[in-house]
Amino acid sequence: MKTTGSYLRVFIFSIVGYFLLDNLGSSGDVSVFSEKPLMWVVLAVIILFYIACEACVEAIKNILYATLSDEAKARYDEKQALKEANQFKWIKEKYKQSLGTKPIEEEHEIILDHNYDGIKELDNKLPPWWVYGFYITIIFAVVYLVRFEVYKDYNQDEEYEVAVAEANLAIEEWKKTAKDLVDVNTVELLTEASDLSAGKKIFEVNCVACHKSDGGGGIGPNLTDEHWILGGGIKNVFRTISEGGRAGKGMIPWKTTLKPAEMAQVASYIFEFQGTTPAEPKAAEGEIWVDPDVSN
């Protein structure tokens, strides 16, 4: 059918348009279009409408074509054939030129004497694209030789070291915004109001039952004094939250429930209780912890 190409085009354009709209919706304040089935319906209606219009036009053409005389049909068919022959004519000609072959009617000029069981060989020239590609490789080889062997530009070891250094810088920049990569070795005390607010919400949902809302302690230890059962400091507190308390008793590990960034936030919020006075403080447990980095 002559309109098949048109159907394919409108289908592809519609799908591409949909995903463009979907991405715009995902990246901005607009609702994600993929969450709206109505978008699919609208696109389907557009496609069906376009196909119906194309089919109607084709049907009208066929009806009008049937009313033509044989002579008029012949002229129309000749015109259409000429139109199709001239379509992409420039590309077709350039493609033939790139092959570097002679037309069939001129092949007798380049036929060789080789004959094997009636099969003869043509002395066609190499395709221009192949020849030019070969010249380019020669030029590249000369430039490479002069640059790296004569003028001693960087070698592979130096190139590797530069690439690794650039990659490490990129990783460090990425880590600054990738909070969920934090672990017990890289965690730092968070002081931003947004982080402390998030930590407070996590504490109120998960920790109040054992430590009370003011950190005074209940089932769990008092968080307002300087005594720590498993060590103080952000790293020790983060490890305790992640891995849990003492074996057989104490807090459960939260690493399967909370994300690393969330554990860092709630660990940082816990230090907000230090020096405060809870309503019913539990007796101190553990030992007073002194930061070895500060004491040294």
Side-chain angles (χ1 to χ4, degrees):
M1 192 173 183
K2 294 182 179 179
T3 53
T4 301
S6 299
Y7 299 162
L8 182 61
R9 284 195 297 272
V10 71
F11 178 75
I12 293 174
F13 292 155
S14 299
I15 294 299
V16 171
Y18 171 80
F19 282 109
L20 287 175
L21 291 173
D22 185 53
N23 289 333
L24 288 174
S26 300
S27 59
D29 294 330
V30 186
S31 299
V32 180
F33 286 100
S34 60
E35 296 176 357
K36 296 185 176 181
L38 182 61
M39 278 299 302
W40 286 109
V41 176
V42 171
L43 286 172
V45 170
I46 293 173
I47 293 172
L48 292 175
F49 178 75
Y50 185 89
I51 292 175
C53 289
E54 287 276 354
C56 289
V57 171
E58 189 66 20
I60 293 172
K61 285 183 179 180
N62 291 335
I63 293 172
L64 293 176
Y65 182 82
T67 62
L68 297 176
S69 63
D70 293 341
E71 183 179 352
K73 287 180 180 179
R75 287 198 303 268
Y76 177 81
D77 292 339
E78 182 180 355
K79 184 178 179 181
Q80 288 296 111
L82 182 62
K83 181 179 179 181
E84 291 179 4
N86 290 330
Q87 191 176 22
F88 307 115
K89 183 178 180 180
W90 181 83
I91 297 176
K92 293 175 181 177
E93 290 178 351
K94 290 300 179 183
Y95 173 73
K96 288 181 179 179
Q97 292 176 9
S98 69
L99 299 178
T101 58
K102 280 185 173 292
I104 295 177
E105 57 271 13
E106 298 179 12
E107 285 186 348
H108 65 278
E109 300 176 1
I110 57 174
I111 196 167
L112 298 175
D113 294 335
H114 303 166
N115 189 321
Y116 182 80
D117 198 21
I119 301 174
K120 297 182 179 181
E121 182 181 356
L122 297 178
D123 188 21
N124 277 317
K125 295 181 179 179
L126 288 170
W129 63 265
W130 193 98
V131 176
Y132 297 145
F134 180 65
Y135 291 156
I136 290 172
T137 60
I138 294 174
I139 295 171
F140 176 84
V142 171
V143 173
Y144 186 91
L145 179 67
V146 172
R147 179 179 179 184
F148 293 101
E149 298 300 330
V150 177
Y151 288 99
K152 302 296 181 183
D153 204 346
Y154 62 88
N155 56 37
Q156 290 182 336
D157 291 337
E158 293 171 343
E159 184 178 14
Y160 171 77
E161 291 173 0
V162 171
V164 170
E166 292 176 349
N168 287 334
L169 288 175
I171 291 172
E172 291 303 320
E173 288 297 320
W174 178 57
K175 283 183 176 179
K176 291 179 181 178
T177 56
K179 292 184 177 180
D180 276 340
L181 289 178
V182 67
D183 59 24
V184 70
N185 297 313
T186 60
V187 65
E188 295 180 355
L189 183 66
L190 304 176
T191 57
E192 293 288 337
S194 58
D195 289 319
L196 295 177
S197 176
K200 180 180 180 181
K201 291 179 181 178
I202 297 169
F203 184 88
E204 290 174 347
V205 171
N206 301 288
C207 311
V208 167
C210 295
H211 296 281
K212 294 187 177 180
S213 60
D214 58 5
I219 299 174
N222 187 341
L223 300 176
T224 64
D225 57 41
E226 297 180 349
H227 292 72
W228 299 89
I229 298 173
L230 297 174
I234 187 63
K235 294 185 185 298
N236 287 320
V237 173
F238 181 92
R239 180 188 292 107
T240 304
I241 295 173
S242 175
E243 305 301 326
R246 293 162 292 178
K249 58 181 179 178
M251 186 172 65
I252 62 171
W254 288 91
K255 60 184 178 182
T256 58
T257 305
L258 300 176
K259 296 178 180 178
E262 293 174 330
M263 290 190 291
Q265 289 171 334
V266 70
S268 298
Y269 173 71
I270 286 173
F271 287 94
E272 295 292 297
F273 292 121
Q274 290 287 289
T276 62
T277 304
E280 299 177 353
K282 186 179 180 181
E285 299 176 81
E287 299 177 356
I288 295 178
W289 186 81
V290 179
D291 191 341
D293 296 330
V294 175
S295 61
N296 292 334

